[in-house]
Amino acid sequence: MGDFNDDPKSNSLKRILDAKTRKSETILKDLYNPMSKMTKKGGGSLAWGDSWIIFDQIIVSKELLEKDYDEYRYYKAGIFNEEFLITPRGKYKGYPFRSYSNGSYTDGYSDHFPVYVYLIKHKKEP
């Protein structure tokens, strides 16, 4: 997981990591990129030039996609873009509320929104 400085459609993720865009395509030793389907929704983890980009990604292994929920398994992924993380006004209104802008501290958080995954598992009865 992290800032890959590339979006899910970039060669580095598609060809080098061979990260799959569909869970159903993911087989043994493959990787799955749940952030890839978010590019279709128009959102992103950062904005640049009035365009949203998903540079921050969490990529999971096939093992986390198994249907046996006795162990932790991938459930869903998202971009955490709650209101307090969004620039409230000015030129960058709606962008992530960055810590520094034009060399000054802004009391913000980051120029990227955080990303997350839910991992779930069945609760074992006592």
Side-chain angles (χ1 to χ4, degrees), residues 40-87:
K40 297 174 186 159
K41 296 179 182 177
S45 61
L46 73 116
W48 179 260
D50 291 332
S51 294
W52 285 97
I53 309 165
I54 299 177
F55 273 5
D56 304 275
Q57 300 169 63
I58 300 173
I59 298 173
V60 300
S61 66
K62 169 67 174 160
E63 180 66 24
L64 284 175
L65 302 177
E66 295 297 328
K67 299 292 181 191
D68 169 16
Y69 289 98
D70 288 335
E71 300 296 329
Y72 283 102
R73 301 295 183 216
Y74 169 80
Y75 175 61
K76 68 180 182 176
I79 298 170
F80 189 74
N81 56 1
E82 293 295 318
E83 190 172 333
F84 72 94
L85 294 173
I86 300 172
T87 303

Side-chain angles (χ1 to χ4, degrees), residues 85-111:
L85 294 173
I86 300 172
T87 303
R89 64 185 96 51
K91 180 179 178 181
Y92 299 109
K93 181 179 179 179
Y95 283 31
F97 188 21
R98 57 190 327 136
S99 304
Y100 285 88
S101 182
N102 297 321
S104 298
Y105 181 67
T106 62
D107 201 28
Y109 300 95
S110 175
D111 59 337

Side-chain angles (χ1 to χ4, degrees), residues 2-14 16-17 33 35 39 45-46 53-59 112:
D3 177 357
F4 284 82
N5 244 21
D6 274 329
D7 64 39
K9 297 176 186 174
S10 297
N11 285 342
S12 63
L13 286 125
K14 301 270 303 170
I16 306 300
L17 283 183
N33 187 348
M35 312 314 271
T39 60
S45 61
L46 73 116
I53 309 165
I54 299 177
F55 273 5
D56 304 275
Q57 300 169 63
I58 300 173
I59 298 173
H112 295 229

